[in-house]
Amino acid sequence: MPTNAMHSALPAQTGFDSRYDKRLYNKRRWANKLGLGFAMSAMVFGLIWLFWILVTLFFEGFQGMVQMPIFTADTPPPMSEGGLRNAIVGSVMLAFSGLFIGAPIGLMTGIYLSEFAQGSLLGKVTRFLNDILLSAPSIVIGLFIYALMVKGQSFSGWAGALALALIVVPVVVRTTENMLNLVPNSIREAAYALGTPKWKMVTQVTIKAARAGLTTGVLLAFARITGETAPLLFTALNNQYFSTDMGEPIANLPNTIYQFAMSPYDNWHTLAWAAALLITASVLVLNVLARFIGGRSSSK
């Protein structure tokens, strides 16, 4: 029996050898190596430029933070000593105001699309408009708010906050809908089996199950608006002096970088590098925090 089994396996082996095309195999192997080589080269090329940008930014920005009173003085006149206190406070106020306006709207819209739309016409239209708003250039959003709130009136912090809120909304809507769609339907069915009303199932079951993902989406939206410049050029503008009045033009880091980097003064260039380092560091921290929260939730 073993001898017969061995002889019966020989034709199959011989058939495989006859079908095996070594030339085709070598061709595909070299094509695979060539593709991997191009991919690795592209990755290394991109990382080199990114590393160069980060090193230059850290070196120039750290010099400005050491040499000047960044956190204790306001933006100075040309060729005089100063800092970025008013711009830092203004950026924090604008970013948090935009987040507090846009995040609740985005969360509620995302919950509606995931839990209540169920293929309705309103849900389809809302999702389509959200996709358009998500891909719209930020300068177009700034121009829209300019025509709505600034033209014929005055620049203000509230106009800037509303422009940033319009950037937050589509990001939060998309992440909220996606995170809620990842919640297994078996959890919803178990809640329904216990007699739970739908509103309570959504608030007490699905939202809690996707809480980490929703938090990640809000943090990513916050990181997105932290460095936005174009909408603020049309809305909040800038202010050389310290002010917390959101009804007036207010200082902010993105516009300060734009204004100071275009100037011929060395001290303004130094402050622009320091402001760029602050924004980059804040965005990096927010993204790392969002990844950490998202990774921890997926591991559970």
Side-chain angles (χ1 to χ4, degrees):
M1 291 296 294
T3 305
N4 294 336
M6 184 185 305
H7 286 299
S8 63
L10 286 177
Q13 183 67 28
T14 305
F16 173 77
D17 291 336
S18 63
R19 293 193 304 270
Y20 175 69
D21 189 345
K22 189 174 183 180
R23 182 182 302 176
L24 179 61
Y25 171 75
N26 290 332
K27 180 181 178 180
R28 290 176 176 176
R29 185 178 65 176
W30 283 109
N32 179 62
K33 290 183 177 180
L34 185 63
L36 288 176
F38 277 123
M40 293 293 293
S41 300
M43 181 191 70
V44 172
F45 181 78
L47 288 177
I48 287 174
W49 291 103
L50 178 61
F51 182 74
W52 187 10
I53 292 172
L54 290 177
V55 169
T56 304
L57 178 62
F58 179 82
F59 179 75
E60 298 287 349
F62 188 74
Q63 279 187 336
M65 297 186 70
V66 171
Q67 295 174 2
M68 296 188 173
I70 299 298
F71 301 100
T72 57
D74 297 335
T75 49
M79 304 308 296
S80 60
E81 186 175 329
L84 297 169
R85 183 185 62 164
N86 57 333
I88 294 172
V89 173
S91 287
V92 171
M93 292 178 62
L94 288 171
F96 275 101
S97 297
L99 185 69
F100 290 151
I101 294 172
I105 298 174
L107 286 170
M108 288 187 291
T109 305
I111 292 171
Y112 167 76
L113 292 177
S114 177
E115 301 292 339
F116 298 95
Q118 297 175 348
S120 64
L121 179 61
L122 179 60
K124 294 178 180 178
V125 172
T126 303
R127 192 175 290 108
F128 175 72
L129 294 177
N130 184 76
D131 291 340
I132 294 177
L133 189 59
L134 186 64
S135 59
S138 59
I139 193 170
V140 175
I141 295 175
L143 186 61
F144 169 73
I145 299 298
Y146 171 82
L148 186 67
M149 298 183 61
V150 177
K151 187 177 180 181
Q153 302 180 40
S154 64
F155 297 96
S156 66
W158 288 120
L162 187 58
L164 297 180
L166 287 181
I167 298 174
V168 168
V169 168
V171 178
V172 176
V173 168
R174 174 64 62 83
T175 55
T176 300
E177 183 183 7
N178 290 341
M179 291 300 104
L180 290 177
N181 286 338
L182 291 177
V183 177
N185 283 328
S186 57
I187 296 179
R188 297 180 175 88
E189 294 169 356
Y192 284 138
L194 295 174
T196 307
K198 185 162 187 175
W199 67 268
K200 195 167 186 179
M201 182 272 297
V202 172
T203 57
Q204 299 294 325
V205 178
T206 55
I207 290 180
K208 282 189 175 181
R211 180 170 50 192
L214 302 184
T215 305
T216 301
V218 172
L219 288 176
L220 291 176
F222 187 59
R224 164 80 187 276
I225 64 173
T226 300
E228 284 290 346
T229 305
L232 301 182
L233 285 171
F234 291 96
T235 54
L237 199 61
N238 208 345
N239 193 342
Q240 184 180 349
Y241 305 102
F242 184 88
S243 174
T244 57
D245 185 3
M246 292 287 287
E248 299 293 333
I250 191 169
N252 54 87
L253 287 174
N255 277 339
T256 299
I257 296 172
Y258 173 77
Q259 179 184 353
F260 283 14
M262 298 291 290
S263 72
Y265 308 110
D266 291 336
N267 67 319
W268 280 14
H269 291 169
T270 304
L271 287 174
W273 280 111
L277 179 60
L278 287 176
I279 289 180
T280 304
S282 63
V283 172
L284 178 63
V285 169
L286 288 171
N287 277 275
V288 170
L289 183 61
R291 297 276 181 170
F292 173 75
I293 295 175
R296 187 177 62 177
S297 64
S298 61
S299 64
K300 291 182 179 180

